């Protein structure tokens, strides 16, 4: 992708007055931010439902482009990656969401498109019970599934417990921030954040100079929910950011899980209510999570490897199944349309082959129509 396209994508967010659904709709309809810029004078003719206010806003790119250029300079100086939906490194799960940001600023090393990713969220006023649940969840998950990206918000309470537990277990972990990368909130978590840039990362949609205002925390919650397969709520009061994240995750048709707590316990009330109202599935351990997510194959394989048992890569496969498995063995996590082109199989036939491979435990479907070879 050209640097100019990135600049236009960054500027478009500001032109739309941070209306993410509108900005993304413009981007998707015209195919690129560059195309939006090129049609800035006749956008009303190109988009029938374009409001007069948006028509006026899209005409003026001067200030947004200057701001985007300044941000690009900061990114270049500080090793920050600017990601747009057209970039391979952009979180593909998040790109599926109707209000996905057009630009993300990322400092870190973790792959944001790992085959498995969960968000672990909860109250800032967590109890010893919540801390223990978080630590045991991550530790047991590491035993069952060696590679899972753990996402949270670096806040006090459950968030920081999740990040630290992930680091302690050797997982990569990413924090989604409510401000620009020129600062860190809360400052007390700076050492953990520094460690995460080497074994995970810091991610935000906010440009430098953005303060950690209250509204920004609500906005960032949609990224926490959108870039993962599932959200786990550990502890929550009757109201709180963790419940907001869980609600957003459900609106994205993602899985939501919650740990129950004692009846009447103030910091378990949100979890208990969510489970009662069928807003989350009840879990008591990582084993429950792995079973519900269909990640049992990895758990079984992990136990087999630990016992020194080798699994055959292609058990009794037909020639077509072998061709698909061999392709994924060379380049894993491919969409079905790409596999159809590379194998020469018609889409309908490929769908049947992929189903058989899934039933045999050879492949697993991922978000966004991708398939992963289990090896």
């Amino acid at each position: 992708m050209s640097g100019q396209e990135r600049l236009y994508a960054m500027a478009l967010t500001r032109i739309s007055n941070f209306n993410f659904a509108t900005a993304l709709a413009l981007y998707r309809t015209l195919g690129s931010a560059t195309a939006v810029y090129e049609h800035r004078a006749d956008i009303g003719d190109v988009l029938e439902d374009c409001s007069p206010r948006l028509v006026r806003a899209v005409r003026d790119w001067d200030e947004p482009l200057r701001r985007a250029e300044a941000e690009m300079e900061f990114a270049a100086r500080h090793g920050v990656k600017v990601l747009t939906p057209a970039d391979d490194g952009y979180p593909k799960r998040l790109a599926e969401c109707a209000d996905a940001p057009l630009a993300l600023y990322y400092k870190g090393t973790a792959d944001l498109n790992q085959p498995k990713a969960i968000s672990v969220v909860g109250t800032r006023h967590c109890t010893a019970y919540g801390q223990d649940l978080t630590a045991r969840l991550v530790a047991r998950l590491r035993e069952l599934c060696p590679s899972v990206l753990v996402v949270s918000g670096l806040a006090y309470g459950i968030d920081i417990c999740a990040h630290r537990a992930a680091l302690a277990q050797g997982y990569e972990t990413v924090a989604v921030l409510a401000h620009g990368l020129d600062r860190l909130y809360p400052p007390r978590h700076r050492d953990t954040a520094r460690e995460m840039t080497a074994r995970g990362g810091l991610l935000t949609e906010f440009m430098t100079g953005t303060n950690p205002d209250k509204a920004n925390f609500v906005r960032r919650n949609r990224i926490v929910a959108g870039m993962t397969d599932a959200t786990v709520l550990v502890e929550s009061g009757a109201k709180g950011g963790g419940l907001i994240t869980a609600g957003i995750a459900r609106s994205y048709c993602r899985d939501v899980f919650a740990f129950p707590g004692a009846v009447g316990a103030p910091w378990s009330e949100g979890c208990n209510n969510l489970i009662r109202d069928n807003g989350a599935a009840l879990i008591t351990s990582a084993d429950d999570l792995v079973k519900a997510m269909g990640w049992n194959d990895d758990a079984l394989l992990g136990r087999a490897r630990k016992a020194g048992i080798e699994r055959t890569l292609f058990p009794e496969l037909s020639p077509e199944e072998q061709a698909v498995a061999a392709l994924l063995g060379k380049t894993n996590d491919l969409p079905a349309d790409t596999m159809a082109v590379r194998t020469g199989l018609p889409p309908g036939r490929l769908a049947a082959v992929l189903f058989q491979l899934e039933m045999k435990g050879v492949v697993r479907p991922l978000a966004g129509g991708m398939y992963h070879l289990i090896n």
Side-chain angles (χ1 to χ4, degrees), residues 68-136:
E69 288 169 354
E71 195 67 21
M72 283 290 283
E73 291 175 3
F74 175 89
R77 290 196 309 271
H78 294 88
V80 174
K81 300 174 186 176
V82 181
L83 303 174
T84 73
D87 289 307
D88 290 338
Y90 189 97
K92 301 307 179 186
R93 298 172 180 87
L94 182 61
E96 299 171 359
C97 305
D99 54 357
L102 284 180
L104 289 169
Y105 308 96
Y106 178 50
K107 187 174 180 63
T109 58
D111 178 4
L112 303 180
N113 290 299
Q114 295 185 34
K116 300 181 186 66
I118 63 166
S119 54
V120 181
V121 298
T123 179
R124 300 181 182 212
H125 308 283
C126 69
T127 65
Y129 169 73
Q131 294 175 28
D132 182 59
L133 281 179
T134 304
R136 286 194 286 119

Side-chain angles (χ1 to χ4, degrees), residues 270-290:
C271 291
N272 291 343
N273 291 347
L274 197 64
I275 294 168
R276 179 198 64 200
D277 298 335
N278 296 317
L282 185 154
I283 59 171
T284 60
S285 66
D287 297 76
D288 295 339
L289 172 66
V290 168

Side-chain angles (χ1 to χ4, degrees), residues 154-157 160 164 184-194:
L154 202 70
Y156 292 110
I160 195 63
R164 288 171 177 165
L184 189 80
Y185 180 85
R188 187 178 296 178
H189 296 163
R190 188 171 300 279
D191 288 345
T192 301
R194 186 178 296 111

Side-chain angles (χ1 to χ4, degrees), residues 279-331:
L282 185 154
I283 59 171
T284 60
S285 66
D287 297 76
D288 295 339
L289 172 66
V290 168
K291 181 178 180 181
M293 292 301 296
W295 293 348
N296 306 70
D297 286 342
D298 278 10
L300 291 171
L301 185 57
R303 287 197 291 270
R305 284 175 173 165
K306 191 174 182 179
I309 301 171
E310 292 295 328
R311 174 185 173 175
T312 59
L313 184 58
F314 304 133
E316 299 180 4
L317 302 186
S318 70
E320 290 178 332
E321 291 168 348
Q322 288 181 21
V324 173
L327 174 61
L328 289 174
K330 294 178 181 177
T331 307

Side-chain angles (χ1 to χ4, degrees), residues 116-120 137 141 148-151 228-230 232 289 295:
K116 300 181 186 66
I118 63 166
S119 54
V120 181
L137 168 72
L141 187 61
V148 177
L149 181 66
V150 177
V151 178
T228 58
D229 300 307
V232 179
L289 172 66
W295 293 348

